[in-house]
Amino acid sequence: MRDTERREPGSGPEPEAHLRLEGVGKRFGSIVALDGLDLEVRHGEFYCLLGASAAGKTTALRVISGLETPGGGRVVFDGEEIAGVPSPDRGIAMVFQTFALYPHLSVFENLAYPLREARTPGPEIRARVAEMAEMLRIGHVLQRKPETASGGEQQRIAIGRALIRRPRLLLLDEPLTNLDAKLRHDMRAEFKRLHRELGTTMLYATPDELEALGMGERIGVLRDGRIVQTGSPDELYEHPVDTYVGQMVGSPKMNLAPAQRGEGLTVATSFADVSGGPWTGTLADLPQQAGLLLGFRPTDIRPAGGAPRGPRFPARVHLTEPLGDVTVVDLDIAEDMYRMVLPESEAVGFRPGDRLDVEIAVEQTHLFHRDTGAAIGRDVAPPSGAAAA
Amino acid sequence: MRRQIGRAGWGWTGFSAVVSFIYFFPVLWIVLTAFKAHTDALAIPPKWIFTPTLENFVSVFARAYIKGQTAVDTNFDVYFFNSIFIAGSSVLIALIIGTLAAYGFSRYPLKGNNTYLFIILTTRMLPPIVVIIPIFLMFRVSGLSGTYLGVILLYTAFNLPFTIWMMKSFFDELSPEVEDAARLDGSNGYRVFFRVCMPQVKAGLAATAVFGLILTWNEFLFALLLTGVETRTVPVAMAQTIGGDIGVRWGLLAAIETLFLIPVVVVVYVLQNHLLRGVTFGTIRR
């Protein structure tokens, strides 16, 4: 794991960790769900855990909440090891993917349930439910059963039930998966609003990089039960540590061209010799013919024209996919398929079979080892704050 | 105009009515016969218009066994109490044990869970007539023969497999995340079970109870051999009522049957809202 964390110069001591997982393992039979997971969430942060399905996101949240006991390692919350602390006493609440509302109770009773279990007096329950209902705009469904509420309302009820005990940490397990696309967008804004208003630390698990990039202040990319990279959305986008992160973050995903080290400080692909990329400095350390992958995002390949920004080479249009404001063009370059994203206006007139010259913005390219997928360092290690600048 | 989905036309409604009537006709026949005098009950062709009488119902509980003698108590009040008490207790006990077992099988599966469930089911695979002799001998030896305890135990054992299987399927349908949520909200295992799981399987509980009740209510063979004079149930007593000095007293039998139907009708009526969801195993959503 490499932490490409951005640190403001002179920002003083490292921010205190709110939640820290150290080498947490968990297996179910022969399946390893968590493989020495290290994770650090700071006070008041919106942290996104990004990973494909079965990467271990849900298991990680269940371990933190206490629904599962870790097979090894430490879970430290506010400076306290919480492995032995019963779930309700941890000050941690969770919103489930399926909302998990109590179907036999009214919305009011759903919200009141955690308070009743904590033997809160009746008047206080009513006051806090009313307050929560107002904040989440679900006052009009309080007397109904949850199943009669709309998807977005059910989601907000689930959030309300989690927040009503005023947890110090809120875990969200793919909370938008069960909503339709339009609602998802609204709820993203809702989560950000709640985070801003409440200041509660949020740990948000999602397989959707758009959600992670859009909401997360920091993102941890989870793969096979361990974090492969942590950083701000920009850092992950600009400096992926390997091809997995490179392809996970950004849509459409990053193009990877098989390559090897060519003459001098060049990288030879099947369509061009590329030189002058940010990785040039480290290229000298690699043996000749070393197996490489050249990564470039679909937005960094363009029809040639104007001042050259990198190597130019011929391509053939295979398919165009207009998506409204942008068009995704599948290009056939030296027998391999690559994606190019263009503003809709620039892609007008492209037909399958058309030939054109394209160029890559060489400054934006990435270089990876072909065997391990690990990124090959840039000339200068990622400078502090450079990604955000 | 498109026909509204879900609303049948007159044709289908009429057809359903005819089919329903065919099924319901025997019940109607019994109830009518119960109100007929002996000669009316035997009349061919059947009489549709007759003077109703409550004579049959009176003689269910007290009648003269030989013409001319004074009426004596038939003990049918005891038999009805026995039927209600035995069926009610055994179904209740089976529901309590079976629901707990089903929750265990559903939530904390053993290694070889399905094997256990299958073995439980096999206890119902043997026809009663096959197992009646060993059970009869066991009851004789243990002194359970003719006691309430014995017959309730037996019916409980017979209701259990069915109860476990049915309730397990209802528990399997519940979302485990809801239970996890309750655990995070501060509920311990008992409260998760009683406050979160049980309210969600009410319909299943009702359906299972009704199936068990009907099964036990109608049971004849075991009751015939294993109940005593004091613990006799209505089906056995009914069989023993057949015959007599004037041939089969159809009116009397029909009156017993009519009375015997009432508890079933009442229970089903009370639980009807739950039953629809229960018997369809939750496939019909509210």
Side-chain angles (χ1 to χ4, degrees), chain A residues 126-145:
Chain A
R126 281 191 289 280
R128 275 165 73 172
V129 169
E131 177 196 17
M132 193 54 71
E134 190 190 352
M135 185 172 79
L136 294 166
R137 301 188 301 275
I138 46 177
H140 56 292
V141 294
L142 278 183
Q143 300 313 320
R144 304 199 333 225
K145 288 282 169 64

Side-chain angles (χ1 to χ4, degrees), chain B residues 160-195:
Chain B
L160 256 180
F162 163 76
T163 308
I164 292 173
W165 272 75
M166 239 174 112
M167 289 313 295
K168 179 180 178 290
S169 76
F170 286 109
F171 283 124
D172 285 347
E173 256 191 31
L174 300 185
S175 151
E177 281 199 340
V178 172
E179 284 157 60
D180 286 338
R183 263 177 214 112
L184 290 187
D185 283 346
S187 303
N188 60 28
Y190 294 102
R191 291 180 70 78
V192 169
F193 179 72
F194 285 110
R195 287 206 57 193

Side-chain angles (χ1 to χ4, degrees), chain A residues 3-6 217-220 229-236:
Chain A
D3 198 332
T4 54
E5 193 45 58
R6 166 161 57 108
E217 291 167 346
R218 284 196 313 148
I219 299 169
Q229 188 174 9
T230 308
S232 71
D234 285 340
E235 282 159 355
L236 295 188

Side-chain angles (χ1 to χ4, degrees), chain A residues 62 65-67 87-88 92-94 96-105 109-110 113-114 116-118 145 147 161 165 173, chain B residues 174-188 190-202 277 285-286:
Chain A
R62 291 175 65 89
S65 69
L67 289 171
S87 300
I92 297 174
M94 182 154 162
F96 292 84
Q97 185 178 341
T98 56
F99 310 151
L101 299 172
Y102 305 124
H104 58 295
L105 298 177
E109 285 302 325
N110 264 276
Y113 192 92
R116 292 207 192 281
E117 291 298 87
K145 288 282 169 64
E147 64 188 358
R161 188 183 59 184
R165 287 214 303 171
D173 185 13
Chain B
L174 300 185
S175 151
E177 281 199 340
V178 172
E179 284 157 60
D180 286 338
R183 263 177 214 112
L184 290 187
D185 283 346
S187 303
N188 60 28
Y190 294 102
R191 291 180 70 78
V192 169
F193 179 72
F194 285 110
R195 287 206 57 193
V196 176
C197 294
M198 287 307 286
Q200 290 183 74
V201 294
K202 265 195 297 194
R277 256 163 59 76
R285 296 282 170 205
R286 269 168 295 166

